[in-house]
Amino acid sequence: MAKCRVWSSKLWSLSLGNMALLLALASPAVAACKLTPLLDLPVTFIQRKPLVDAKINGDAVRLIVDTGATIGGLTPQAARHFSIKTQPLVTDGVVHSVAGEVVEFQVGTLKELKLGGVSIRDLGVLVGGRVPNVGAVGRLGENLFGLGDMEFDLAAREVRLFRPERCSGAELAYWAPHSISVIPLEDGPPTRQLRGVVSINGHPVRAMFDTGAPENYLTRAAADRLGLAVTADGHEPGVRGVTGDGRLIAVSTATIGKLDIGQEEARDIEVRVADLQTGSNEMLIGLNFFLAHRVIVDRANNKLVFSPTGDDVFADLNVYQASPAQP
């Protein structure tokens, strides 16, 4: 398989050390733009899952960072442990997982979730299903991430949440304002998921950017539509977590000749192909993309802004099997 690289004009970046000053220099029209830090969360990787430390009602826990989850969730065991009262979903509690399985969920409210020293009260969560065996009791979802602009600096093992003020039209990628790629987001209430359009071999494909999926996945219907050659099915022990709970699924592979993500281009990349239930999304762009980029979700301008941290469009996940947060 050919190595994936960023195909673009020469990149350069400007580092001023002071984010507020850099944003003020962007243009006179947006000189008043301000990003107020809300959360700064160190990330630990275990079995290709990004985890953050938290406290629920005073007890220390770990949660998976999952941008593919519309609402954060807890396992039933964790909900019982924290005495969280639940009630059925308005959809009578039946939800189909990405793998098409029927999962019964209820809804509850966390009295207090503490992240990075900040207390968040009365946060709604889903209760049900399982999580991979990585020491986590649940996951953080878009109902939390949607509270502000999220920055994913996962190569440096950090996730940050900002509150933007007067930033419409401003460039929020303060670390590299002149070397960015942009994808318009299609997300919005009520889902807030990170969805945009990429191009595979010149054809538009609707994709979701999902830190909960370790690698990139195509639905089988999309692979058929694009005319990709797909290998035979098989249960691969190394492919876990696309369902969000560590279950194995039947997975095939295909090679994409050319994949365009924003202004970046990757060639001859291998993707997983599976019968996924992802709504209108045909592709999951996974954690390996986030690890190769610094990414900020610009809610005010409804776009995903990112720049590469190296030459590769997708990172080698083996480096992050069990990697602690940096001091």
Side-chain angles (χ1 to χ4, degrees):
M1 182 179 66
K3 199 170 187 179
C4 311
R5 294 192 177 275
V6 177
W7 291 55
S8 65
S9 59
K10 185 177 180 181
L11 302 179
W12 63 282
S13 64
L14 177 66
S15 176
L16 297 180
N18 187 305
M19 180 171 59
L21 175 61
L22 190 149
L23 287 170
L25 290 175
S27 74
V30 295
C33 175
K34 179 183 178 182
L35 289 180
T36 301
L38 299 178
L39 291 173
D40 193 337
L41 304 176
V43 175
T44 298
F45 291 94
I46 297 178
Q47 295 179 21
R48 306 191 298 181
K49 290 293 183 184
L51 307 172
V52 295
D53 291 326
K55 287 187 176 181
I56 295 178
N57 299 342
D59 288 353
V61 298
R62 275 185 168 172
L63 299 167
I64 298 171
V65 176
D66 188 354
T67 59
T70 303
I71 300 175
L74 293 177
T75 64
Q77 296 88 343
R80 287 193 294 269
H81 174 78
F82 294 113
S83 301
I84 295 173
K85 295 181 180 180
T86 61
Q87 59 186 14
L89 286 171
V90 293
T91 56
D92 66 17
V94 176
V95 176
H96 288 85
S97 72
V98 171
E101 301 159 319
V102 174
V103 183
E104 292 187 3
F105 281 101
Q106 294 192 318
V107 292
T109 302
L110 292 184
K111 180 180 179 182
E112 181 187 35
L113 172 65
K114 195 169 186 178
L115 289 165
V118 176
S119 292
I120 302 169
R121 296 187 177 276
D122 301 325
L123 182 69
V125 293
L126 289 177
V127 175
R130 302 183 297 175
V131 295
N133 186 22
V134 292
V137 300
R139 66 192 74 250
L140 297 176
E142 283 297 318
N143 61 325
L144 174 67
F145 302 146
L147 295 177
D149 287 355
M150 290 295 301
E151 179 190 346
F152 297 90
D153 190 7
L154 292 184
R157 300 165 181 83
E158 291 283 343
V159 173
R160 304 177 184 96
L161 178 66
F162 298 99
R163 182 178 65 243
E165 300 177 30
R166 302 178 300 277
C167 290
S168 180
E171 183 49 71
L172 302 188
Y174 59 90
W175 62 88
H178 301 286
S179 60
I180 61 169
S181 290
V182 175
I183 284 188
L185 290 175
E186 298 181 358
D187 71 327
T191 65
R192 306 292 289 178
Q193 290 175 321
L194 306 181
R195 299 179 299 190
V197 176
V198 301
S199 174
I200 293 179
N201 298 336
H203 301 283
V205 173
R206 198 169 190 228
M208 180 169 68
F209 293 79
D210 183 3
T211 58
E215 298 172 277
N216 307 313
Y217 288 82
L218 268 179
T219 65
R220 195 169 303 278
D224 292 341
R225 177 175 72 82
L226 296 166
L228 300 180
V230 179
T231 65
D233 286 342
H235 287 277
E236 299 188 11
V239 182
R240 291 181 179 268
V242 68
T243 63
D245 59 12
R247 294 175 185 170
L248 296 179
I249 59 172
V251 175
S252 308
T253 58
T255 298
I256 294 174
K258 181 173 176 285
L259 171 63
D260 294 295
I261 305 176
Q263 289 70 51
E264 293 187 5
E265 178 183 303
R267 292 182 178 271
D268 300 325
I269 66 166
E270 186 178 89
V271 295
R272 308 288 185 179
V273 178
D275 290 316
L276 303 179
Q277 305 298 316
T278 55
S280 60
N281 300 310
E282 297 180 290
M283 185 176 190
L284 301 180
I285 295 179
L287 179 65
N288 55 348
F289 174 82
F290 285 85
L291 287 168
H293 294 83
R294 196 163 174 177
V295 179
I296 194 163
V297 183
D298 184 346
R299 299 286 185 186
N301 299 296
N302 207 35
K303 62 185 180 180
L304 195 72
V305 181
F306 52 94
S307 64
T309 56
D311 290 332
D312 296 335
V313 179
F314 301 108
D316 180 1
L317 289 174
N318 292 324
V319 178
Y320 299 93
Q321 285 284 356
S323 182
Q326 298 300 298

